[in-house]
Amino acid sequence: MNNPLPTGAMIGILGGGQLGRMLSVAASRLGFRTHVYEPGANPPAGHVADRVTTAGYDNIDALTAFAQSVDVVTYEFENIPTDALNVIEAIRPIRPGREALRVSQDRMVEKDFLSGLGLSVAPYANIENAADLDAALATIGAPAILKTRRFGYDGKGQARIMAAADAAQALADMAGAPAVLEGFVDFTHEISVIAARGVTGEVACYDPGENVHKDGILATTTLPATLTGAHRMDAVLLAGRILNALDYVGVMGVELFVTPKGLIVNEIAPRVHNSGHWTQDGCVIDQFEQHIRAVAGWPLGDGSRHCDVVMENLIGDDMDRVPTIAREANAALHLYGKADVKPGRKMGHVNRVIGPKS
């Protein structure tokens, strides 16, 4: 399907969280309808979507009916079971494609893919048992971090190893799951590039943002990032290489470490990304509309930045600050409609416009 979807077409979204919610809003601005598929009841995306299917990813009948009701399918998270994708793809195209999911669902596969492109990544090794971990630590050294190969996000599924004595507990924390050991990178700061690729192969990248994490969760993204001109160009070019290598269609987040020796790729996310939320108030075409444009076969929009902006995640009890933030000048609130406030749970974000683009 290379013909652009007409206004009124239905876009299927796998996952009903805040990213699915913001994708649905963006789709509606372009005249599209959305159908969200989500196992959990009353998802945030369901508040703004045209249709919601509440069913598990093992429900073949529900998956089939969902796929038949839409014109194209996209997703808001990576860890969708392969069997569910097989059912859907037999009926409708999935964008971004399956290869991007295959690579990003497994940290070891992702590292091999990135290094195979000639990109720099942290030293890494596959870990299946204590012997593997001892051998890897002997080569990579400590400090290092042990991560599950699959299903980790927001700091979950990770254990730090500051010295060899920490190895046994770190391995126990993996609970038998296959893991990868990553050496620590001596970096000054982290940035991310939100990049998009259309069905015709056109690529558009947003300005890199500078990220600060707290307790493994993104806290703020600041534009412009602290970068040399060379680093800025390198970040955009390597993002384009990744998109082209995957024959990608949609928006991707590429997280990078800035080091004195250049940029090191931390990880990729084949979807709209938390560190790209600033685009909602810093650009005419934000990352969510850009993604909808791409998966619908439309031309990509102009993602140039028109102002300096700081995005702050509102996590857990940060919601208590909403009445105060609402009185701030140049602060745009984006709340996700989640009923329960929990520690570590992303409840919304605020984009603070600092001034004209510098």
Side-chain angles (χ1 to χ4, degrees):
M1 186 191 71
N2 290 324
N3 294 326
L5 289 182
T7 296
M10 183 80 84
I11 296 175
I13 301 174
L14 297 172
Q18 63 264 22
L19 298 180
R21 178 188 178 101
M22 290 182 276
L23 284 169
S24 291
V25 171
S28 70
R29 289 203 310 269
L30 297 181
F32 295 118
R33 297 173 298 142
T34 53
H35 184 170
V36 166
Y37 191 103
E38 165 60 46
N42 193 32
H47 305 162
V48 296
D50 293 86
R51 293 183 61 184
V52 179
T53 292
T54 306
Y57 287 111
D58 58 352
N59 188 326
I60 295 176
D61 289 342
L63 289 167
T64 300
F66 166 77
Q68 290 173 339
S69 76
V70 303
D71 296 289
V72 67
V73 174
T74 190
Y75 44 87
E76 65 145 23
F77 74 111
E78 299 93 305
N79 294 314
I80 304 161
T82 297
D83 288 347
L85 295 169
N86 290 341
V87 173
I88 292 168
E89 194 173 45
I91 301 168
R92 292 291 183 266
I94 299 173
R95 294 175 174 167
R98 296 287 295 278
E99 179 64 4
L101 283 174
R102 184 190 73 82
V103 168
S104 64
Q105 283 182 344
D106 187 312
R107 284 192 170 99
M108 189 71 191
V109 175
E110 181 178 289
K111 298 288 187 189
D112 287 345
F113 166 75
L114 294 169
S115 58
L117 291 180
L119 303 177
S120 297
V121 298
Y124 67 99
N126 185 43
I127 306 298
E128 296 184 8
N129 50 48
D132 287 346
L133 184 54
D134 289 343
L137 284 169
T139 303
I140 294 173
I145 187 163
L146 190 65
K147 301 179 179 180
T148 55
R149 286 179 53 166
R150 299 172 67 89
F151 305 121
Y153 66 98
D154 285 349
K156 298 177 176 64
Q158 302 184 8
R160 293 196 175 200
I161 299 177
M162 303 308 293
D166 300 332
Q169 182 58 52
L171 192 61
D173 289 346
M174 299 297 102
V180 58
L181 184 73
E182 295 181 9
F184 269 25
V185 174
D186 183 17
F187 64 97
T188 55
H189 52 292
E190 181 195 288
I191 64 168
S192 57
V193 177
I194 307 301
R197 186 173 182 272
V199 293
T200 61
E202 60 181 319
V203 173
C205 293
Y206 291 92
D207 280 356
E210 184 169 337
N211 300 327
V212 174
H213 290 81
K214 293 180 181 177
D215 300 322
I217 303 175
L218 181 66
T220 62
T221 299
T222 300
L223 277 289
T226 306
L227 287 173
T228 65
H231 278 162
R232 196 177 306 275
M233 182 65 71
D234 288 347
V236 169
L237 289 175
L238 70 83
R241 286 178 64 186
I242 294 169
L243 293 173
N244 287 328
L246 292 170
D247 195 21
Y248 196 85
V249 175
V251 163
M252 171 183 284
V254 182
E255 296 181 0
L256 305 162
F257 294 128
V258 181
T259 79
K261 295 181 180 179
L263 301 177
I264 293 177
V265 184
N266 178 26
E267 63 182 28
I268 61 174
R271 52 174 169 78
V272 288
H273 196 259
N274 192 174
S275 67
H277 292 352
W278 66 269
T279 61
Q280 290 172 305
D281 298 286
C283 304
V284 173
I285 306 297
D286 66 30
Q287 66 163 344
F288 301 100
E289 179 176 332
Q290 195 76 293
H291 186 80
I292 294 296
R293 282 170 170 259
V295 302
W298 282 33
L300 297 183
D302 179 3
S304 58
R305 178 170 61 89
H306 55 63
C307 65
D308 292 354
V309 59
V310 178
M311 187 283 299
E312 177 192 1
N313 271 333
L314 301 177
I315 300 168
D317 290 341
D318 286 341
M319 287 296 286
D320 294 340
R321 297 165 43 221
V322 166
T324 301
I325 295 170
R327 290 192 292 269
E328 290 182 29
N330 301 317
L333 274 166
H334 299 264
L335 303 180
Y336 304 153
K338 296 180 179 179
D340 299 322
V341 176
K342 299 176 183 178
R345 191 180 198 196
K346 295 173 182 173
M347 304 299 297
H349 65 273
V350 55
N351 288 328
R352 292 183 173 89
V353 175
I354 306 304
K357 179 180 177 181
S358 62

